Amino acid sequence: MKNNAILKQTSFISFVAIIASLLWVTSAPNESKTEQQIRSYIVKSNDSGLLSSIVSDMSLSPTHELSIINAIAVPLTAEQYAEVKANKALTVTENYQVELAGGNAWGKRKWQPRAVVPSSIDADYVHATRNFGDGVTIGFLDTGIDSLPGTSSDLGLSTDLYGRDKFWGTYDAITNTVSNYSNEESGHGTHVASVAANADYDVYGKVYGVAPNAAIVGIKAFDSEGKATYADVIRGIEWALQVKDQINLRVLNMSFGGMQRSYYWEDPLNQAVMKAWQEGIVVVASAGNNGPDPMTIGVPGNVPYIITVGAMTDSYTELQTSDDKIATFSAAGPTPAGFVKPDLVAPGGHVAGLMAFNTQIVNEHPEYHDGGKYFEMSGTSQAAAVVSGVAALMIAQDPSLSPDDVKCRLIDSAHTALTSEGTLAYSVFQQGSGVVNAKDALSSTASNCANQSLNIAKDLADEEHFYGPANINEDGNFYVEGLGEEYVWKIDESALSNDAVIWRLNYDDNPMDWKNMASTDAVIWRLDFETSAVIWRLNFETDAVIWRLNLETDAVIWRLNLDDYEAAPININSWVEPQ
């Protein structure tokens, strides 16, 4: 039975009062300066007194206090920026925009589409044991959640399978307020939440959500267009840490991504994500929709500690697995620090989810809405939500599981895509450990198989940082150091060559040493051709070409050094074609 402590009911008003007391009241930026002269920056220092002194001496007006990473967000003129930047005791990062990792609105129009995701990952076996994710709260850092109360069925996001209220409401990180009502203009956050926790049934009596009794809370950091700033997202993460014990928030879904601008440990958003993981929250992030090329994983999916999820699709044949495939839009690894990502994949093609008829996405793509409350989308956003639901089922079964335990069992029990010859159908840089399987994840007793060679405390303290086992060979193909030829990603070759996919449980089938490999020694990635050009350069102060996949050109794939005022969006994942 669901623990009444996490049910909203009459206790939600007191919950709002408690949380409101935790909120930091922001000051308005100086409106005397023109918008063209001002940019927002995240200023970080381990000396809080220094930050206070800078704010006082320069008469600054911070918009966000980001204590989770010992920083503030503050608008600065070009002159103020130069003055702050000159202080070597401060780390200054532009308050970049972020965008959600939502999929395209492409799909087949259906009336009340079938619920297929739980069956496809064997979550229905878990449901048969009466485990529906009771007692666990999943937070969705997104565009908000519309619980859709008063629709044709009250089951869904407002109540669970037993009719009990499960919606905690929404914290708006943009306005720094808490409310117990629905407020979502985009539709993305509601769709993602429903993939994980929808308690509604389809016409065949199948439940839609992976963890339909899990409680949910919206953390709104993205606007109706799916855009946000680093500061708002970090503030949302900090709020999740403040309330996690009151509402048993154990899983935090992040279906968004942004461009990597540095090693994972130098990015302020990643630092907040790592802090959440360290504090006991299972963080699930989408890999991004920028695939299929290598090194397309975004922020925060490049954080080695967390669970990063790519997408696969059933090619519209739900009862036939042989034509399953990795979605072409699904981002691939390795990360610039040499880690294998994604960690695993999950259904992310044409996924049915809840979405109100008057949202931005439906207004733009009405043909993919069923006219009632369902919408079909594709993307790694949806795939991440599937894994968040499985994580909730795991924690409901065993609340003692740590984030590392959850990650270990998820990747240990995933089903690897193999060809009929028994070789990898996809590189580990595309599929990670394979497709998630809820039944086997809950049956797994694996331990000490994730993040064991990492040290998150030293990482966050800036004492020690880590590199993964990925490298590149003389042919320009990525591989995992210490493993065999099968773990070389021959990028120019067709992924499957028309072979059927066999999803095989990999408890002992394959050497998965890469899951736990990390080192403090930097990997110099080189192309050992006539030029011996350095493709991964450790000096972040240069504008060097970092990665050249096409050896006949000098095309820059990824640069480290951006102009001071250059902003790249971080947002919901880009729209993708139906798969």
Side-chain angles (χ1 to χ4, degrees):
M1 295 293 288
K2 188 176 179 72
N3 187 334
N4 289 333
I6 72 163
L7 296 177
K8 183 176 65 178
Q9 302 294 354
T10 58
S11 66
F12 189 83
I13 295 176
S14 61
F15 166 70
V16 173
I18 292 171
I19 302 309
S21 67
L22 297 174
L23 300 178
W24 184 75
V25 180
T26 62
S27 301
N30 188 339
E31 297 178 355
S32 65
K33 302 179 178 68
T34 65
E35 184 178 354
Q36 289 75 17
Q37 293 176 312
I38 298 174
R39 283 190 175 273
S40 179
Y41 294 89
I42 295 175
V43 182
K44 182 177 184 294
S45 174
N46 291 328
D47 183 352
S48 59
L50 176 60
L51 280 178
S52 298
S53 176
I54 292 291
V55 169
S56 175
D57 293 346
M58 297 181 63
S59 299
L60 302 178
S61 299
T63 60
H64 300 68
E65 180 180 317
L66 307 174
S67 58
I68 187 175
I69 59 170
N70 303 315
I72 57 172
V74 60
L76 301 174
T77 64
E79 292 78 11
Q80 289 172 329
Y81 167 77
E83 183 177 346
V84 174
K85 184 74 172 177
N87 191 324
K88 300 303 181 182
L90 301 173
T91 300
V92 185
T93 307
E94 185 170 341
N95 184 16
Y96 299 115
Q97 291 185 335
V98 290
E99 298 184 4
L100 296 172
N104 202 341
W106 308 113
K108 293 183 178 180
R109 182 175 182 177
K110 301 177 181 178
W111 183 262
Q112 191 75 10
R114 296 184 62 176
V116 300
V117 168
S119 296
S120 71
I121 62 167
D122 289 342
D124 48 357
Y125 287 96
V126 180
H127 297 167
T129 69
R130 314 308 296 172
N131 180 352
F132 300 106
D134 300 68
V136 178
T137 297
I138 307 174
F140 295 90
L141 187 52
D142 215 289
T143 58
I145 297 176
D146 186 346
S147 63
L148 298 172
T151 52
S152 57
S153 171
D154 245 356
L155 293 173
L157 298 180
S158 59
T159 57
D160 67 13
L161 296 173
Y162 305 130
R164 301 171 301 189
D165 196 343
K166 68 173 189 176
F167 181 46
W168 276 107
T170 299
Y171 167 65
D172 191 325
I174 302 171
T175 61
N176 200 29
T177 58
V178 178
S179 63
N180 61 356
Y181 58 86
S182 306
N183 180 23
E184 205 231 334
E185 302 89 356
S186 166
H188 183 273
T190 300
H191 195 276
V192 168
S194 71
V195 173
N198 185 6
D200 196 7
Y201 293 95
D202 71 3
V203 294
Y204 299 98
K206 296 280 190 179
V207 68
Y208 283 100
V210 176
N213 278 7
I216 60 174
V217 64
I219 304 174
K220 182 177 181 177
F222 295 81
D223 62 19
S224 62
E225 296 181 350
K227 297 179 180 179
T229 67
Y230 263 39
D232 288 334
V233 175
I234 293 170
R235 185 154 65 183
I237 297 171
E238 187 166 24
W239 182 86
L241 288 176
Q242 291 171 346
V243 304
K244 68 182 180 68
D245 295 332
Q246 287 102 319
I247 64 175
N248 201 31
L249 197 165
R250 297 291 305 275
V251 183
L252 186 56
N253 187 90
M254 298 185 179
S255 290
F256 59 85
M259 185 175 67
Q260 298 180 59
R261 297 176 175 82
S262 64
Y263 283 129
Y264 71 87
W265 62 80
E266 294 178 324
D267 188 287
L269 194 157
N270 282 349
Q271 292 165 2
V273 168
M274 290 162 62
K275 186 66 175 178
W277 186 272
Q278 183 188 41
E279 293 295 318
I281 296 178
V282 176
V283 179
V284 182
S286 59
N289 291 357
N290 299 316
D293 291 336
M295 293 187 76
T296 49
I297 303 290
V299 172
N302 65 324
V303 174
Y305 298 92
I306 68 171
I307 301 165
T308 305
V309 186
M312 51 79 62
T313 176
D314 63 9
S315 301
Y316 295 99
T317 58
E318 61 191 78
L319 300 179
Q320 178 180 336
T321 60
S322 62
D323 62 351
D324 290 359
K325 61 183 181 181
I326 303 297
T328 58
F329 58 76
S330 186
T335 71
F339 286 95
V340 175
K341 289 285 182 175
D343 297 292
L344 71 169
V345 296
H350 59 92
V351 178
L354 292 167
M355 192 180 298
F357 70 90
N358 58 349
T359 56
Q360 174 110 358
I361 292 176
V362 175
N363 288 335
E364 294 175 354
H365 305 281
E367 64 272 28
Y368 305 113
H369 197 256
D370 69 353
K373 57 180 181 177
Y374 279 92
F375 191 92
E376 290 194 349
M377 293 178 71
S378 295
T380 57
S381 286
Q382 287 65 37
V386 172
V387 174
S388 289
V390 176
L393 295 176
M394 296 170 69
I395 296 169
Q397 175 181 274
D398 184 358
S400 70
L401 293 178
S402 70
D404 283 351
D405 293 333
V406 171
K407 181 178 180 179
C408 170
R409 294 183 181 185
L410 281 171
I411 59 180
D412 178 70
S413 61
H415 290 204
T416 305
L418 304 175
T419 66
S420 56
E421 287 78 26
T423 59
L424 288 175
Y426 295 97
S427 163
V428 295
F429 301 114
Q430 296 169 291
Q431 67 169 317
S433 297
V435 67
V436 67
N437 186 277
K439 175 176 176 287
D440 292 326
L442 271 74
S443 299
S444 174
T445 58
S447 62
N448 302 323
C449 66
N451 300 338
Q452 297 304 298
S453 55
L454 300 170
N455 188 317
I456 197 167
K458 290 186 176 181
D459 226 338
L460 283 169
D462 205 26
E463 296 175 1
E464 203 167 48
H465 305 298
F466 302 91
Y467 301 86
N471 213 322
I472 192 168
N473 63 19
E474 63 274 9
D475 297 319
N477 294 319
F478 292 102
Y479 69 97
V480 179
E481 293 183 340
L483 300 185
E485 180 70 17
E486 186 179 1
Y487 288 83
V488 176
W489 183 7
K490 297 179 180 178
I491 299 168
D492 294 332
E493 293 185 2
S494 174
L496 290 178
S497 301
N498 298 318
D499 288 336
V501 169
I502 302 170
W503 296 104
R504 182 176 296 173
L505 182 64
N506 63 31
Y507 282 120
D508 299 309
D509 292 335
N510 298 300
M512 307 298 282
D513 295 340
W514 53 266
K515 296 183 300 186
N516 236 346
M517 295 171 65
S519 170
T520 56
D521 296 327
V523 177
I524 304 293
W525 301 13
R526 293 182 180 272
L527 287 175
D528 294 328
F529 298 97
E530 294 180 1
T531 60
S532 294
V534 177
I535 62 165
W536 176 245
R537 191 167 288 184
L538 297 181
N539 185 352
F540 280 80
E541 297 178 356
T542 67
D543 248 352
V545 174
I546 296 173
W547 179 37
R548 296 188 303 171
L549 204 55
N550 184 347
L551 302 180
E552 296 179 357
T553 70
D554 280 338
V556 178
I557 304 298
W558 199 66
R559 283 184 185 272
L560 292 172
N561 199 8
L562 298 178
D563 294 337
D564 288 339
Y565 291 151
E566 182 179 351
I570 181 167
N571 53 8
I572 56 175
N573 290 322
S574 58
W575 298 104
V576 291
E577 294 293 333
Q579 292 187 27

